Amino acid sequence: MTRAPTDAAIAPSLLRLAAPMLVSRAGLAAMVLVDAVMLARFGARELAVATLAEGSFGRLSEVFGAFILSALVLVAAARPPAERARRLAIWRRAMACAAAMAGLGLAAAWLAPALLLAGGQEAGLVAAAAPVMLVAALGLPAGLVALACAVHLEGIGRPGLVAVSMLLANLVNLALNALLIAGGWGVPALGALGSALATALVRLALAIALVLTLLRIERPDGAGAEPIPHRDRARQIGLGLSAAGAAGTLHLLGLWLTIFAGWLGPVPLAAYASCWILSLPALLLAAGIGDAAAIRVAAASAEARPARLRRDLVTLALMLSPVTLLWLLAPGEVARAYAPDPGLAGAMAALLPVIGLVLMLDGLSLAASAGLRALHDIAVPTAIQIASMAATPPLAAMLAFSQGLGAGGLVGAILLTSAARLALLLMRIAARHAGTLRPRALLPSTDLP
């Protein structure tokens, strides 16, 4: 009898596989965190303006990004040298989609101020956020092009190039923020608008660098002459719409929480957003680990997959524990290091312990969902995520306003629904392990051979 391959032989360790993904995602987190910290030190109101812009238009950008990012598995499947024409066709389609979504982004930035005013946001904040959203929309095409190139380079096994580019982009972003937010060298202090302008310029430079890198590596001249399978087009659009649809639903529901925080005032809004910004690196870490876990689960035998997913979830919990404990045990120190404004720091210190628990729950949920997707279990985990988010806004409104808990009610509602979501996902994993489920994919045409 042939001996079954060992776990190590089937797939590399979780941390080794995740390392390249974590470097580039850490660069994204660092850029957002630096923007927030510098704005917080400039003034709580400017941070609130940026938060309002990011909490509305920024969510749309993330939905578009989810569409582009979903092509990673297709590029990876076309990694062999003989498949160059196929993967370049995937890249060209991603670029065409990026152009179309950029047009939608400009329209959304133009409409957003009226929608925010209709939603009851403070007129002064909306007026200040409007040009910030416009600048962000102008930088959106470059951001989507950079993402399409990064997906391609990671898919062909060149994540190091993306990581180096992200590190350089962070250095440029830091320098531009220092100049444009607070002013200097003859440049006026632009606050939140300066931060958005710095991000747009960095995205443009990053897009140019990654496009040139990709063209140098792939040398696409003549590649399009080879036949391109029609099936790839359907898969790419199907994956993109599925990812964007799920992300759009979740962000639309999450947008209500930002609106609720805005109703509470500039300081609660800035505190609420700042706590999530501080937690973003750990959440991106969880997302990277989740992607790596999905690859390991897919590489394992059918019998070993649930057990491997459980082990990876335990590893992730251990990795998230230091941040969760810091948020629980030293919220005041963390808040004061982030924001010199005593009012903002005090509001953040009250929220951080609860968000520390949410961080652990949501991080594990991200990895659990990714692992279930690797088992072609898409519909039920997506339904669990959407249902938990759908329950959050009404519960948050009740706790924040009816019960008078303010921003604490918002994060309390998130904690309750996050716990329910993770419990349901773990039950789903347990059912898969017991062999009682044979789920079919939500989009069978996207299943890879």
Side-chain angles (χ1 to χ4, degrees), residues 214-291:
L214 187 150
L215 295 177
R216 177 178 57 83
I217 292 173
E218 290 285 32
R219 299 186 304 278
D221 292 343
E226 302 177 34
I228 306 299
H230 175 75
R231 189 181 180 190
D232 271 353
R233 185 181 300 108
R235 282 178 168 178
Q236 186 169 357
I237 300 302
L239 279 171
L241 291 177
S242 177
T249 302
L250 296 178
H251 281 299
L252 180 62
L253 294 168
L255 176 60
W256 279 104
L257 301 179
T258 302
I259 291 174
F260 291 162
W263 288 350
L264 294 171
V267 172
L269 173 61
Y272 173 80
S274 296
C275 289
W276 289 116
I277 290 169
L278 282 174
S279 302
L280 180 62
L283 286 173
L284 288 176
L285 167 72
I289 293 292
D291 290 341

Side-chain angles (χ1 to χ4, degrees), residues 138-224:
L138 293 174
L140 177 62
L144 294 176
V145 167
L147 181 59
C149 295
V151 164
H152 191 98
L153 291 170
E154 288 186 345
I156 64 174
R158 307 296 289 270
L161 295 174
V162 179
V164 171
S165 298
M166 281 303 306
L167 291 175
L168 293 175
N170 270 274
L171 294 175
V172 175
N173 182 66
L174 178 62
L176 287 175
N177 267 340
L179 176 64
L180 297 176
I181 290 178
W185 296 78
V187 177
L190 298 176
L193 182 60
S195 176
L197 182 58
T199 300
L201 292 173
V202 168
R203 285 179 172 178
L204 178 60
L206 186 61
I208 293 172
L210 290 179
V211 167
L212 292 177
T213 299
L214 187 150
L215 295 177
R216 177 178 57 83
I217 292 173
E218 290 285 32
R219 299 186 304 278
D221 292 343

